[in-house]
């Protein structure tokens, strides 16, 4: 998916485990199927998972996550990854990596949710709890800045999508989002990437939220993206009420969902079909809602 991505297979991970955590060297190891773009995931035994950055830009995210998870996880209503061990570069792998406890569940599928209303309530409870966490000394979230800071990137992506989507309609929606009042409250925590691939469910209910590489403080509207990335139209109101989003915040959240989808679509159009399809889904949902 990335020009500077390294090859990671079972033999590489096995050597890393044997060198850093010899007590786990005999455990079964297999690569997990995932549409994730930043890290490679390997299940280790029955109760562990190994997470390794796939390219240089993903390294900072994993170190960021390991720093802030211990502070955030205890106050959240959904399980978070539990770091079990920190690995150093070696055996041909150039970056730090980590071992976490295994979390049961599966990724929800947009359009095929078992309990969309209940999942919307669960997501609202999670976002609310995260926002209430003490934000003192929290790092600035990469997606907590004003939407205007993303304008150039969105327009560059739209230029690449000319002829492939209705860029005129999407541009109009983006410009509407830019006109939403900016956030003027105190910085609060946001996960920053509440996409289906970073959520685990069981029986239709939210059980865990993973991948805290984008977590930070700022405008929390980005955590509303699940409304369009995952939830059907008739469950969005449940989520919005649970979070307590006013018109301005809802508009900014929709703008972030559009921003993420538009920028991801040309980049992953051929290299990651699931991500590209989800981006098309988000764009179509926002277009439908605007009609």
């Amino acid at each position: 998916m990335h020009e500077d991505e390294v090859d990671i297979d079972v033999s590489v991970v096995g050597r890393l485990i044997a060198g850093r955590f010899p007590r786990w060297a005999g455990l079964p190891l297999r690569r997990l199927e995932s549409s994730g773009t930043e890290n490679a995931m390997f299940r280790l035994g029955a109760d562990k998972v190994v997470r390794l950055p796939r390219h240089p830009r993903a390294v900072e995210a994993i170190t960021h996550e390991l720093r802030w998870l211990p502070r955030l996880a205890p106050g959240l209503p959904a399980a978070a990854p539990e770091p079990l061990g920190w690995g150093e570069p070696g055996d041909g792998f150039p970056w730090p990596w980590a071992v976490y406890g295994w979390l049961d569940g599966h990724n929800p599928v947009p359009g095929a949710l078992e309990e969309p209303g209940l999942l919307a309530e669960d997501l609202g409870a999670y976002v609310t709890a995260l926002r209430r966490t003490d934000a003192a000394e929290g790092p600035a979230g990469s997606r907590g800045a004003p939407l205007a800071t993303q304008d150039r990137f969105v327009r560059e992506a739209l230029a690449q999508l000319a002829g492939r989507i209705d860029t005129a309609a999407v541009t109009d929606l983006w410009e509407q989002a830019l006109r939403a009042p900016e956030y003027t409250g105190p910085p609060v925590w946001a996960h920053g990437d509440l996409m289906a691939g970073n959520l685990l469910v069981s029986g239709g209910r939210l059980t865990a939220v993973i991948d805290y590489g984008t977590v930070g403080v700022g405008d929390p509207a980005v955590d509303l993206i699940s409304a369009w990335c995952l939830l059907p139209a008739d469950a969005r109101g449940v989520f919005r009420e649970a979070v307590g989003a006013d018109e301005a915040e809802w508009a900014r959240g929709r703008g972030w969902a559009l921003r993420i989808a538009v920028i991801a679509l040309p980049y992953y159009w051929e290299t990651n079909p699931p991500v590209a399809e989800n981006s098309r889904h988000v764009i179509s949902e926002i277009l439908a809602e605007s009609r």
Side-chain angles (χ1 to χ4, degrees):
M1 288 180 287
H2 312 279
E3 291 182 358
D4 52 357
E5 187 171 324
V6 298
D7 292 328
I8 309 171
D9 57 23
V10 169
S11 63
V12 170
V13 181
R15 291 196 300 271
L16 289 170
I17 292 293
R20 181 67 180 86
F21 304 108
R23 63 189 182 280
W24 297 334
L27 296 176
L29 181 67
R30 63 179 177 88
R31 185 162 191 158
L32 297 174
E33 292 186 10
S34 171
S35 61
T37 62
E38 303 299 293
N39 300 281
M41 307 288 287
F42 292 77
R43 188 162 186 175
L44 178 63
D47 59 356
K48 300 176 187 65
V49 64
V50 189
R51 186 171 177 221
L52 307 97
R54 300 171 69 131
H55 59 90
R57 295 173 304 286
V59 176
E60 183 178 355
I62 197 169
T63 57
H64 179 81
E65 173 181 84
L66 289 168
R67 177 179 179 184
W68 293 105
L69 265 179
R71 175 169 172 175
L72 299 172
L76 299 176
E82 179 187 3
L84 301 178
W86 173 254
E88 299 292 338
D91 287 292
F93 187 75
W95 305 305
W97 49 281
V99 180
Y100 298 81
W102 177 259
L103 291 169
D104 288 322
H106 62 274
N107 297 131
V109 178
L113 303 180
E114 299 174 62
E115 298 284 353
L118 294 177
L119 180 57
E121 291 179 0
D122 293 344
L123 284 167
Y126 169 85
V127 170
T128 299
L130 183 57
R131 291 179 175 188
R132 289 175 177 167
T133 304
D134 183 7
E137 301 180 0
S142 60
R143 294 178 175 176
L147 275 174
T149 63
Q150 304 300 305
D151 187 49
R152 176 171 67 88
F153 308 111
V154 171
R155 294 183 190 277
E156 288 174 354
L158 286 169
Q160 297 175 55
L161 291 167
R164 295 193 277 185
I165 67 170
D166 187 346
T167 53
V170 174
T171 298
D172 182 61
L173 288 172
W174 174 246
E175 290 176 349
Q176 290 180 40
L178 291 176
R179 290 194 292 271
E182 290 187 7
Y183 180 67
T184 58
V188 296
W189 284 102
H191 177 278
D193 200 15
L194 292 180
M195 309 279 282
N198 290 330
L199 307 175
L200 296 177
V201 298
S202 179
R205 306 300 298 267
L206 182 69
T207 59
V209 177
I210 62 175
D211 195 346
Y212 283 73
T214 55
V215 73
V217 303
D219 177 4
V222 66
D223 275 354
L224 302 182
I225 63 174
S226 295
W228 300 275
C229 299
L230 176 62
L231 297 174
D234 58 5
R236 286 177 198 146
V238 176
F239 177 53
R240 180 175 177 177
E241 182 177 357
V243 176
D246 61 17
E247 288 293 335
E249 182 181 3
W250 195 248
R252 294 195 306 274
R254 185 167 48 238
W256 271 108
L258 190 64
R259 175 269 187 209
I260 292 168
V262 167
I263 290 177
L265 186 52
Y267 190 86
Y268 295 113
W269 188 281
E270 295 181 354
T271 60
N272 194 320
V275 171
E277 179 56 34
N278 185 255
S279 296
R280 284 188 286 268
H281 167 80
V282 173
I283 292 168
S284 66
E285 288 293 303
I286 295 176
L287 283 169
E289 189 176 72
S290 69
R291 296 190 180 106

